[in-house]
């Protein structure tokens, strides 16, 4: 059966780096999504922690006129997606998986994120304004550095939205919403 909607929110019950989410967490996430889901959207629960697994699950569900899957992710997820750790520690396997996804017409739309600065010693007060503003720019993670490390033919898998950013992870947003409920 085809997916009857053009936008699908995917919630994976498992994560490559974290324990599986509990049924209560799934319920809370679904409740939260009610604020965003419109009639042309759907929600898909999967057990697919890796993007190649998500593609393998979604591709057979596409309607014939749907020839492309766009994943909307943050820079932090892009960095993990490009980490050979998730491909049996093999850069070659990672490149092969990305090539396969490109052949399947997959694209990743990537929002920038302001990175948390490392804990530093207090700076002297004489620091000039220009050096302080350049420090802030250094903390904006767009994913361009990671993209530049890929072979040229794979770079168009990623559309970097350098002017769009959400500076909090989904985990931080959910934690803040939970506090508001208390």
């Amino acid at each position: 059966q085809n997916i009857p909607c053009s936008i699908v929110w995917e919630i994976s019950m498992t994560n490559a780096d974290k324990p599986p989410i509990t049924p209560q967490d799934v319920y809370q996430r679904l409740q939260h999504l009610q604020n965003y889901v419109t009639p042309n959207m759907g929600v898909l629960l999967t057990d697919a922690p890796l993007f190649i697994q998500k593609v393998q699950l979604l591709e057979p569900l596409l309607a014939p006129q749907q020839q492309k899957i766009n994943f909307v992710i943050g820079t932090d997820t892009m960095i993990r997606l490009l980490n050979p750790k998730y491909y049996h520690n093999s850069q070659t396997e990672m490149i092969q998986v990305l090539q396969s996804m490109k052949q399947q017409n997959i694209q990743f739309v990537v929002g920038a994120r302001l990175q948390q600065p490392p804990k530093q010693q207090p700076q002297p007060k004489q620091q000039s304004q220009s050096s302080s503003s350049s420090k802030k720019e250094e903390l904006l993670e767009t994913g361009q550095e990671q993209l530049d490390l890929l072979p040229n033919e794979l770079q168009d898998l990623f559309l970097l939205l350098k002017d769009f950013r959400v500076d909090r992870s989904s985990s931080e947003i959910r934690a803040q919403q939970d506090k508001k409920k208390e």
Side-chain angles (χ1 to χ4, degrees):
Q1 184 174 344
N2 293 336
I3 297 175
C5 45
S6 57
I7 298 174
V8 177
W9 297 79
E10 185 261 354
I11 298 175
S12 181
M13 305 289 290
T14 55
N15 180 304
D17 294 318
K18 301 175 188 172
I21 60 176
T22 66
Q24 181 182 0
D25 288 337
V26 171
Y27 178 77
Q28 288 175 339
R29 291 179 190 194
L30 290 171
Q31 291 295 311
H32 173 71
L33 282 177
Q34 282 183 343
N35 300 322
Y36 303 101
V37 174
T38 63
N40 69 329
M41 297 180 184
V43 178
L44 183 65
L45 296 177
T46 71
D47 188 23
L50 303 177
F51 278 96
I52 190 64
Q53 295 167 328
K54 296 173 193 310
V55 169
Q56 291 165 346
L57 286 172
L58 291 170
E59 194 173 46
L61 301 175
L62 292 177
Q65 70 274 16
Q66 292 174 303
Q67 297 299 314
K68 187 172 193 166
I69 298 174
N70 292 301
F71 289 102
V72 180
I73 61 176
T75 306
D76 54 331
T77 300
M78 176 188 161
I79 291 168
R80 288 192 307 274
L81 177 63
L82 298 178
N83 185 337
K85 161 186 166 181
Y86 302 104
Y87 308 91
H88 304 104
N89 289 313
S90 169
Q91 181 81 10
T92 302
E93 184 177 333
M94 180 193 76
I95 296 297
Q96 290 170 343
V97 167
L98 293 175
Q99 288 170 332
S100 170
M101 285 196 265
K102 182 174 180 163
Q103 290 169 352
Q104 293 170 291
N105 211 12
I106 307 302
Q107 186 166 38
F108 296 91
V109 179
V110 184
R113 179 165 291 163
L114 190 65
Q115 295 297 309
Q116 294 298 319
K119 301 226 183 227
Q120 299 177 359
Q121 300 298 323
Q123 297 292 324
K125 290 191 177 188
Q126 297 102 300
Q127 188 174 11
S128 73
Q129 283 289 72
S130 63
S131 68
S132 133
S133 67
S134 69
K135 257 190 177 181
K136 287 181 184 175
E137 289 174 21
E138 291 173 0
L139 297 175
L140 182 63
E141 181 66 68
T142 65
Q144 188 63 54
E145 288 180 31
Q146 292 76 13
L147 191 63
D148 290 342
L149 297 174
L150 287 177
N152 289 339
E153 68 273 8
L154 292 177
Q155 291 184 9
D156 62 352
L157 269 170
F158 300 91
L159 172 61
L160 304 182
L161 303 178
K162 297 175 184 178
D163 294 329
F164 173 84
R165 59 181 236 228
V166 175
D167 296 332
R168 296 180 303 155
S169 70
S170 56
S171 298
E172 290 171 319
I173 292 168
R174 284 190 301 274
Q176 181 184 21
Q177 289 171 341
D178 290 344
K179 284 181 183 178
K180 284 181 182 178
K181 290 178 186 176
E182 294 174 355

